[in-house]
Amino acid sequence: VASKKGGPEVLKLIEETMEEPRPNEVRIKVHATGVAFADIFMREGHYPGVSHPVTPGYDIVGEVDKLGDDVTSLKPGQTVVALTVTGGYAEYLCVPEACLVPFEQQLDPAEAVSIVLNYLTAWQMLHRFAAVGEGDRILVHGAGGGVGTALLQLGKLSGLEMYGTASRPKHETVLKLGATPIDYKASDFVKKVRELTQDG
């Protein structure tokens, strides 16, 4: 829990009595949780609607430990994922049944948790909102971050022409993921994109 705003040093390990799931809730034994910018912003006090004390943890992968009354779609021992927004930095967490998605793939929990926030966000941006198709051109801001690298990987699979703003140390990663890196600190990315593409 972060009892006050600050850096990583404000995170403290605490012990509490284990919660019992209420009706329509499931207690999850957490195997992995993400460390996203949202978690850092929460800890630092910059995330809207979140006050301290706060337990960060935007997304989780875990195992169903105990069912609350009226839970019908899950069973103990089942692997699930959830977008919790807060609370994921815990050993056990009670989550509404409706927020849990069974996850049967045999992935390491640390790999699986990256799907919950980063890859679903990226997929929706590309295919649900932008409706990109093969040969389309995109510019990814923060191309070296979690959602940014997911956008580049999914964009490559979709046959996109990609450009990505990133700090100089992340340019090699952006290149490996199939995009042309742009150093947003050293150049005007709008001018650079027009220079590289002619028509923007």
Side-chain angles (χ1 to χ4, degrees), residues 42-59:
M42 279 180 213
R43 189 194 68 223
E44 293 176 344
H46 304 301
Y47 198 86
V50 174
S51 58
H52 288 75
V54 62
T55 300
Y58 213 94
D59 44 7

Side-chain angles (χ1 to χ4, degrees), residues 26 63-65 67 71-80 104:
V26 177
E63 178 184 328
V64 173
D65 177 63
L67 305 177
V71 173
T72 58
S73 66
L74 299 167
K75 58 183 188 269
Q78 198 168 8
T79 301
V80 291
E104 303 300 332

Side-chain angles (χ1 to χ4, degrees), residues 50-104:
V50 174
S51 58
H52 288 75
V54 62
T55 300
Y58 213 94
D59 44 7
I60 63 163
V61 171
E63 178 184 328
V64 173
D65 177 63
K66 188 173 183 182
L67 305 177
D69 292 340
D70 302 321
V71 173
T72 58
S73 66
L74 299 167
K75 58 183 188 269
Q78 198 168 8
T79 301
V80 291
V81 300
L83 192 66
T84 52
V85 182
T86 60
Y89 290 12
E91 189 176 3
Y92 289 87
L93 180 65
C94 290
V95 179
E97 175 186 19
C99 296
L100 295 165
V101 176
F103 192 81
E104 303 300 332

Side-chain angles (χ1 to χ4, degrees), residues 117-194:
L117 175 62
N118 295 337
Y119 284 84
L120 285 178
T121 299
W123 188 89
Q124 289 194 72
M125 290 170 71
L126 288 173
H127 300 292
R128 188 173 177 193
F129 296 107
V132 296
E134 188 172 354
D136 285 347
R137 181 182 297 148
I138 64 170
L139 171 67
V140 176
H141 289 294
V147 174
T149 55
L151 280 163
L152 296 183
Q153 289 175 327
L154 295 174
K156 187 174 183 178
L157 291 172
S158 296
L160 304 181
E161 181 183 336
M162 302 181 297
Y163 300 85
T165 62
S167 59
R168 180 69 62 185
K170 295 184 178 180
H171 281 204
E172 187 177 336
T173 298
V174 173
L175 273 170
K176 283 181 181 175
L177 294 175
T180 300
I182 298 171
D183 187 347
Y184 66 94
K185 291 181 180 179
S187 62
D188 179 334
F189 71 87
V190 174
K191 289 181 182 175
K192 191 68 175 173
V193 167
R194 291 191 190 283

